[in-house]
Amino acid sequence: MTHHNQSRGPLRSSMITQGIDRATHRSLFYAMGHCREELDKPLVAIVNSFNEVVPGHIHLQALCQAIKLGVAEAGGTPLEFPSIAVCDGIATGHQGMKMPMLSREMIADQIELMVVAHGFDAMVLLTNCDKVTPGMLMVAGRLNIPAILVSGGPMDNTSFQGQRVCYTDLIEAEGKVIRGEMSEAELTEFEHVACPGCGSCAMMGTANSMNMLTEALGMTLPDGALIPATYGARIALARRAGKAIMELHNRNILPRDIMTLKAFENAMAVDMAIGGSTNTCLHLPAIAREVGIPLEMDKFTEVAEKTPHLTLLKPAGKFFTMDMYNAGGIPALMNELAHFKLIHPDCLTATGKTVGENVAGRKILDDQVIHRVETPISPKGGLAILRGNLAPEGAVVKSAAVASEMLVHGGPARVFDREEEALEAIFGGSIKPGDVVVIRYEGPKGGPGMREQLMPTSAIIGMGLGKTVALVTDGRFSGATQGACIGHVSPEAYLGGPIALIAEGDRIEIDIPARTLTLAVDPQVLEERRKHWTLPESTNIPKGSLLERYRRMVGSAMKGAVLE
């Protein structure tokens, strides 16, 4: 690995801070209390996604101050500006869930806007939740100025009625109330303790999946993914990141030096080993596209074939993010994968060192939480890409979270053109063991916004149908999803994909080990249905709205649902 040691050229920020014709620019900085000495140093953007809406972001102010201190100590001038962040948990189950995927693009765009407008030399991206982390990685690749990510870290888990629990257990408890297995009073008690404080939800959701993959890519410091949100070590890491960005700047190490094809292969290998969220199949291709790397779905299949599944966190398993941190975290996992040549240890990272140097000596401290390669949970990775006449372009399933009896399943389709209708049917008791629930017109264009189907999947589990009912959708899933849930079916229904032609009662066959998804209907019958197919009224949206613009521009889920 050749490290960049060339001296950097003139500061980008000199175009706004230096020269006689920049007196007005300097004066504007003086108006904010800065002095000339600060303007002669590298200007470092501290992009802070703090807000008072998202538990994963409520505590970021302290981390932001620590980052600024680190930057100043290492010879830079830190300047903070905000980023939006959506809480998928609060947005789920209603029209708000149309917004999170769209927010990923907006986060990248607004950071690009601020950095270009103000001539920054480098940036520290303070992130945490589902779309914020990928949006920030996208813009790091797009702008290609020195950049490092700092996450807010995961929430602590807690206890309820003597059991260790987190957010995902609460979702399933709602179904228990409907079935009479829990009282409403108990549910009220549970909801007060399930999320005990700040941080990203303490499970293998998209937030923690993406933070782990950021570490695997090399874009954050070691242990950046899993140090708990409440630990002093998280603040110390933020301060170290402030110093690290100055090292990256001084050595001219750029995001595209770090986020190479080999780095993405490392991230995919870690993704398979952790059984990450299916949303990673949306975000990794979108990030790779920003650095000019085409990341096809077949690449996920290729990596899954050779990478064993080694961890099983909530909701699929019984362990929490805290357990994985205590078991050695991502460095221990990557060291284990490196030992068996399943990752590339020579990739450069945000420490200025290689992956191999970063993880050397890190050991698995609890092999019940992080299994060893010789004794995996499964010999193949925790995500699978399915294809067949129902998904010619592909579909995604978190195979790690599927009960063994549901790996191969066939049954009658129960068809719904919107999430709300499906939810009503599941809670109403009209979905029977053996059924395949189909939720369509929820894709990137159809939604628009590709809503997460967390509530229907949780309802299936809560109603005791997790081992007998499958769900197929052109929408996407939360990382909190478990069960035979197949998403991203492409082409989507809005574009007239085969999922749009399914009729109530059609037989759907799912074979996850064989990677197939089949609609058992004669092709001529489907062709006849296509002649009479029209878009349902439920897909109508107001002209000129943000969502209408998104619908016009967004591409296929199989290519990351990026704006074309």
Side-chain angles (χ1 to χ4, degrees), residues 544-556:
S545 67
L546 181 60
L547 286 169
E548 197 241 350
R549 274 180 278 152
Y550 183 76
R551 170 176 278 173
R552 275 190 275 120
M553 297 170 73
V554 72
S556 167

Side-chain angles (χ1 to χ4, degrees), residues 49-331:
S49 58
F50 162 80
N51 62 45
E52 295 182 347
V53 185
V54 188
H57 297 246
I58 192 72
H59 64 304
L60 295 186
Q61 297 291 54
L63 295 177
C64 190
Q65 295 309 311
I67 293 166
K68 289 183 195 173
L69 187 58
V71 168
E73 286 172 330
T77 297
L79 298 169
E80 176 189 346
F81 65 81
S83 161
I84 58 169
V86 170
C87 178
D88 282 38
I90 294 172
T92 197
H94 58 95
Q95 293 304 301
M97 188 36 82
K98 293 176 184 283
M99 295 301 176
M101 273 299 290
L102 191 158
S103 79
R104 184 189 73 179
E105 318 307 310
M106 292 190 75
I107 287 161
D109 289 351
Q110 67 183 8
I111 295 169
E112 178 185 11
L113 185 154
M114 287 292 287
V115 168
V116 173
H118 302 105
F120 283 103
D121 298 296
M123 54 188 180
V124 183
L125 302 159
L126 183 53
T127 180
N128 217 13
C129 292
D130 301 43
K131 312 305 168 300
V132 188
T133 300
M136 288 185 171
L137 285 168
M138 285 165 69
V139 78
R142 184 186 300 173
L143 291 174
N144 203 36
I145 64 172
I148 190 169
L149 269 72
V150 178
S151 111
M155 192 182 285
D156 295 341
N157 54 276
T158 183
S159 293
F160 177 66
Q161 295 180 343
Q163 299 290 317
R164 296 170 75 210
V165 294
C166 68
Y167 170 81
T168 183
D169 299 286
L170 179 64
I171 303 168
E172 288 155 27
E174 294 168 7
K176 290 181 179 178
V177 173
I178 291 168
R179 286 158 62 198
E181 293 178 14
M182 180 183 279
S183 70
E184 284 191 48
E186 285 176 303
L187 182 67
T188 300
E189 188 186 339
F190 194 176
E191 70 190 50
H192 277 92
V193 300
C195 298
C198 63
S200 51
C201 299
M203 59 185 185
M204 190 60 80
T206 306
N208 289 319
S209 296
M210 285 310 304
N211 286 339
M212 291 184 208
L213 298 194
T214 302
E215 190 172 334
L217 274 171
M219 286 296 291
T220 190
L221 298 182
D223 290 308
L226 286 173
I227 295 173
T230 55
Y231 280 24
R234 173 64 57 189
I235 293 176
L237 178 130
R239 189 166 172 179
R240 288 204 312 278
K243 294 178 179 177
I245 191 62
M246 296 311 300
E247 173 77 2
L248 293 173
H249 176 263
N250 293 337
R251 292 176 58 188
N252 199 32
I253 296 175
L254 306 175
R256 293 185 191 181
D257 300 324
I258 295 171
M259 291 195 285
T260 60
L261 176 58
K262 284 170 130 185
F264 280 100
E265 288 173 349
N266 284 353
M268 284 188 280
V270 168
D271 197 11
M272 296 308 162
I274 63 176
S277 162
T278 50
N279 286 315
T280 58
C281 297
L282 290 168
H283 300 322
L284 286 179
I287 299 158
R289 181 178 184 260
E290 297 287 356
V291 297
I293 296 171
L295 210 58
E296 301 296 335
M297 284 298 123
D298 289 341
K299 192 69 165 169
F300 284 84
T301 303
E302 182 189 315
V303 175
E305 286 296 314
K306 64 184 181 188
T307 312
H309 178 213
L310 303 180
T311 71
L312 199 60
L313 303 191
K314 286 277 189 174
K318 63 182 179 181
F319 295 111
F320 299 82
T321 46
M322 180 82 78
D323 299 318
M324 189 165 174
Y325 174 64
N326 290 332
I330 294 299

Side-chain angles (χ1 to χ4, degrees), residues 237-553:
L237 178 130
R239 189 166 172 179
R240 288 204 312 278
K243 294 178 179 177
I245 191 62
M246 296 311 300
E247 173 77 2
L248 293 173
H249 176 263
N250 293 337
R251 292 176 58 188
N252 199 32
I253 296 175
L254 306 175
R256 293 185 191 181
D257 300 324
I258 295 171
M259 291 195 285
T260 60
L261 176 58
K262 284 170 130 185
F264 280 100
E265 288 173 349
N266 284 353
M268 284 188 280
V270 168
D271 197 11
M272 296 308 162
I274 63 176
S277 162
T278 50
N279 286 315
T280 58
C281 297
L282 290 168
H283 300 322
L284 286 179
I287 299 158
R289 181 178 184 260
E290 297 287 356
V291 297
I293 296 171
L295 210 58
E296 301 296 335
M297 284 298 123
D298 289 341
K299 192 69 165 169
F300 284 84
T301 303
E302 182 189 315
V303 175
E305 286 296 314
K306 64 184 181 188
T307 312
H309 178 213
L310 303 180
T311 71
L312 199 60
L313 303 191
K314 286 277 189 174
K318 63 182 179 181
F319 295 111
F320 299 82
T321 46
M322 180 82 78
D323 299 318
M324 189 165 174
Y325 174 64
N326 290 332
I330 294 299
L333 175 73
M334 291 189 79
N335 200 18
E336 175 75 1
L337 293 173
H339 184 71
F340 290 89
K341 297 185 167 46
L342 294 168
I343 60 166
H344 307 287
D346 60 336
C347 289
L348 187 62
T349 73
T351 63
K353 299 177 181 176
T354 63
V355 167
E357 289 169 326
N358 287 347
V359 305
R362 292 295 295 267
K363 293 183 170 57
I364 295 172
L365 304 175
D366 184 341
D367 57 15
Q368 294 301 299
V369 179
I370 305 174
H371 288 238
R372 298 184 188 278
V373 168
E374 296 105 327
T375 54
I377 295 162
S378 162
K380 291 184 180 179
L383 291 174
I385 308 299
L386 310 184
R387 281 196 170 85
N389 70 337
L390 183 47
E393 290 178 8
V396 181
V397 64
K398 187 173 177 176
S399 49
V402 180
S404 56
E405 49 267 69
M406 290 296 289
L407 289 169
V408 178
H409 178 78
R414 305 297 308 280
V415 185
F416 305 95
D417 287 348
R418 275 287 177 260
E419 172 190 341
E420 290 81 357
E421 300 163 22
L423 205 54
E424 198 177 311
I426 297 163
F427 279 137
S430 68
I431 302 301
K432 305 298 181 197
D435 287 350
V436 178
V437 175
V438 175
I439 304 177
R440 62 192 180 190
Y441 299 105
E442 292 286 8
K445 286 184 182 291
M450 204 178 184
R451 286 196 289 178
E452 246 176 31
Q453 302 303 307
L454 174 58
M455 295 192 81
T457 59
S458 301
I460 287 169
I461 298 290
M463 294 299 282
L465 299 168
K467 294 184 177 179
T468 58
V469 168
L471 192 152
V472 174
T473 180
D474 53 6
R476 62 191 180 87
F477 294 115
S478 161
T481 293
Q482 59 172 312
C485 301
I486 295 155
H488 309 190
V489 171
S490 299
E492 60 173 295
Y494 188 83
L495 293 175
I499 191 171
L501 307 177
I502 301 171
E504 186 80 8
D506 284 351
R507 184 173 173 80
I508 293 175
E509 293 169 354
I510 299 160
D511 190 333
I512 294 170
R515 307 289 194 252
T516 59
L517 180 63
T518 308
L519 176 59
V521 175
D522 187 281
Q524 286 178 306
V525 173
L526 293 178
E527 206 43 56
E528 196 56 38
R529 288 179 190 172
R530 181 173 296 285
K531 290 175 188 172
H532 302 98
W533 170 73
T534 54
L535 286 168
E537 278 186 26
S538 60
T539 60
N540 294 344
I541 50 171
K543 284 263 191 290
S545 67
L546 181 60
L547 286 169
E548 197 241 350
R549 274 180 278 152
Y550 183 76
R551 170 176 278 173
R552 275 190 275 120
M553 297 170 73

